[in-house]
Amino acid sequence: MIPGWDEIEREPGFAGARLRAELEIRPILDRLASNPADAQRQQKITGRYISVPFVLFAITFFVLETSLPRGGAWGLLAFLLFPVLFIVFMLGGIFLMRDRLARMLIDSDARFRQKAEAMRAMVGPIGLTYVPAPGGAPKGLDWLARQSWAPQVLREATATLDAAGGMDDAVRIVRDSGLLMEADVYVVGTPEQKARYNEQAAGLRRIEDGFHGTRAGLAFEMFEWIENVSEAPNLYHLIIVLEAPFALHGVTQLRARKTGWPGDPQGTPMQDVDLGPRAFDTLYRLRASDQVEARAIFNPAVIERTIALAHGGKFRAVARGQHLVFDFASEQDRFPIVDLLTGAWSDETIRQAHRDLAEALALVDALGHAFMLVRKPGPATA
């Protein structure tokens, strides 16, 4: 249940939030065109433009594979035809729906700008900076926009995301930590190939809702990335980047027992670390390339405070270089002040965005306290 304004305004920094929402945020969102019924119809039509080409591709490939002789050059031909036919049919579907897609992109672009304006009005009084699209446009979208046949509206949408970008250093830090990879992904290859895969995978991530600022002198970076999960709800990863208490020479990874290990783009050899306390071992697993360094980070005081962070959730963390990076995964999309597809918003979505931000900032405070970082103020990493 989304808390009321009285509860939200009791959070540190949120006094007067209700009045600001009424005088500043609602007028911004009032300028949006909202038509949920038409958006649902558009979704169904768009789904047909994607599903029909896919079915035709599957039938075509099946016919070709069963018709071609087995083995030798014919087997190689079938192998090569698979990606070619898939791309041709999918691009055909996109070409047929280009006008409808253009209309959707134009509407979403306008809503994206209004959401950014509303979010900036929300976080400004708290002393934070809002970045709508950390890292800019996803690399896959950027590639499509650079093709000669790409419609102008796609190029404009990509340019909007790039213009709304920023926090490049934070995105790079998180990418290098492996926390932009799905849990338990194991990449076979040389260190260079693993690093290349990690960079490519990270470049395809949908990253949104970035924030940076300070809390009690503690500089932080924060954003959310969306993991598409097959036949299950998407996972929304809230990422928090903090400065490490000291320079790190190795890599330490932490995970709650109900989630997988972070990716390891460098392929660093690591060993399990047994810190001793059974209460910690019940909730978490820890591994590191440097056992001494891991124990320096997770001293007894940190262990005690970290136990309180679990709350039964999917929690992962990586200590590497100059930073500590934390990942809180949930099926709940955070900061949904407006639906970019439909333009729908309400007092409830405005309160939810405030609630989500208050909870995220409380996590920053808790992490700073747990890892004894609050007494070590420093400049933001962005």
Side-chain angles (χ1 to χ4, degrees):
M1 182 178 177
I2 299 173
W5 283 113
D6 290 342
E7 185 177 341
I8 290 171
E9 290 188 323
R10 286 196 290 270
E11 296 292 335
F14 286 82
R18 182 174 189 170
L19 181 60
R20 289 195 298 272
E22 189 68 29
L23 297 180
E24 299 179 31
I25 297 175
R26 290 182 68 94
I28 294 170
L29 299 178
D30 271 330
R31 302 200 300 265
L32 285 168
S34 174
N35 191 343
D38 182 64
Q40 291 173 3
R41 178 174 172 271
Q42 293 276 20
Q43 278 184 297
K44 292 179 181 178
I45 294 173
T46 302
R48 287 199 294 269
Y49 275 104
I50 294 174
S51 60
V52 171
F54 182 81
V55 171
L56 292 175
F57 152 73
I59 294 172
T60 302
F61 184 75
F62 176 77
V63 171
L64 285 173
E65 189 180 35
T66 55
S67 301
L68 291 172
R70 298 289 181 181
W74 297 109
L76 177 62
L77 178 61
F79 175 79
L80 295 175
L81 280 175
F82 184 89
V84 172
L85 288 174
F86 180 80
I87 293 172
V88 168
F89 276 96
M90 291 298 105
L91 289 179
I94 293 174
F95 178 79
L96 291 175
M97 65 173 289
R98 62 190 182 281
D99 293 336
R100 193 176 301 276
L101 181 62
R103 182 71 259 166
M104 291 173 62
L105 284 172
I106 290 172
D107 291 342
S108 295
D109 183 74
R111 292 163 184 156
F112 176 84
R113 294 172 187 270
Q114 296 305 103
K115 175 186 177 180
E117 187 178 349
M119 292 294 290
R120 289 190 179 107
M122 185 179 88
V123 307
I126 307 173
L128 305 181
T129 299
Y130 176 71
V131 178
K139 296 299 183 288
L141 182 62
D142 182 69
W143 179 86
L144 284 174
R146 287 187 281 105
Q147 305 310 303
S148 58
W149 45 264
Q152 180 61 27
V153 67
L154 183 60
R155 296 191 179 97
E156 291 173 357
T158 304
T160 296
L161 289 174
D162 283 334
M167 295 176 62
D168 292 349
D169 287 344
V171 173
R172 175 185 54 78
I173 290 165
V174 179
R175 180 198 69 196
D176 292 345
S177 76
L179 285 171
L180 286 179
M181 296 172 68
E182 293 88 348
D184 278 339
V185 167
Y186 184 77
V187 181
V188 178
T190 65
E192 293 77 15
Q193 290 171 329
K194 292 180 179 180
R196 192 180 310 117
Y197 171 84
N198 177 59
E199 185 173 356
Q200 291 172 346
L204 297 175
R205 297 294 177 234
R206 178 181 157 199
I207 302 175
E208 58 186 29
D209 294 323
F211 306 85
H212 63 87
T214 59
R215 296 279 290 181
L218 175 64
F220 73 93
E221 307 272 3
M222 179 169 67
F223 60 76
E224 187 174 63
W225 74 271
I226 294 87
E227 178 183 351
N228 295 316
V229 182
S230 177
E231 300 181 359
N234 289 342
L235 284 179
Y236 297 85
H237 295 258
L238 179 68
I239 300 290
I240 298 174
V241 181
L242 302 176
E243 187 179 354
F246 49 85
L248 304 169
H249 302 286
V251 178
T252 300
Q253 295 184 340
L254 172 73
R255 69 171 176 88
R257 280 192 172 269
K258 63 168 54 180
T259 190
W261 287 111
D264 179 27
Q266 292 78 29
T268 309
M270 286 186 277
Q271 295 179 332
D272 291 341
V273 181
D274 183 3
L275 295 176
R278 184 176 297 277
F280 182 90
D281 187 61
T282 300
L283 298 172
Y284 295 104
R285 294 290 306 280
L286 187 71
R287 67 182 186 182
S289 62
D290 186 327
Q291 299 260 337
V292 174
E293 189 170 81
R295 287 182 167 82
I297 298 170
F298 287 89
N299 61 57
V302 169
I303 292 173
E304 181 180 353
R305 294 166 181 171
T306 305
I307 291 171
L309 288 172
H311 296 301
K314 295 183 177 180
F315 171 53
R316 302 185 295 167
V318 175
R320 181 180 182 274
Q322 303 292 328
H323 299 90
L324 306 179
V325 186
F326 304 91
D327 178 345
F328 297 86
S330 168
E331 294 180 1
Q332 176 66 46
D333 186 11
R334 302 172 182 88
F335 321 113
I337 198 167
V338 61
D339 189 315
L340 296 182
L341 183 62
T342 67
W345 63 274
S346 64
D347 181 70
E348 186 176 273
T349 64
I350 295 174
R351 283 189 287 117
Q352 183 172 338
H354 280 79
R355 185 279 312 270
D356 290 343
L357 181 59
E359 288 186 348
L361 293 177
L363 278 175
V364 173
D365 295 341
L367 291 169
H369 175 68
F371 287 86
M372 300 184 293
L373 304 174
V374 177
R375 292 175 298 174
K376 189 178 184 300
T381 56

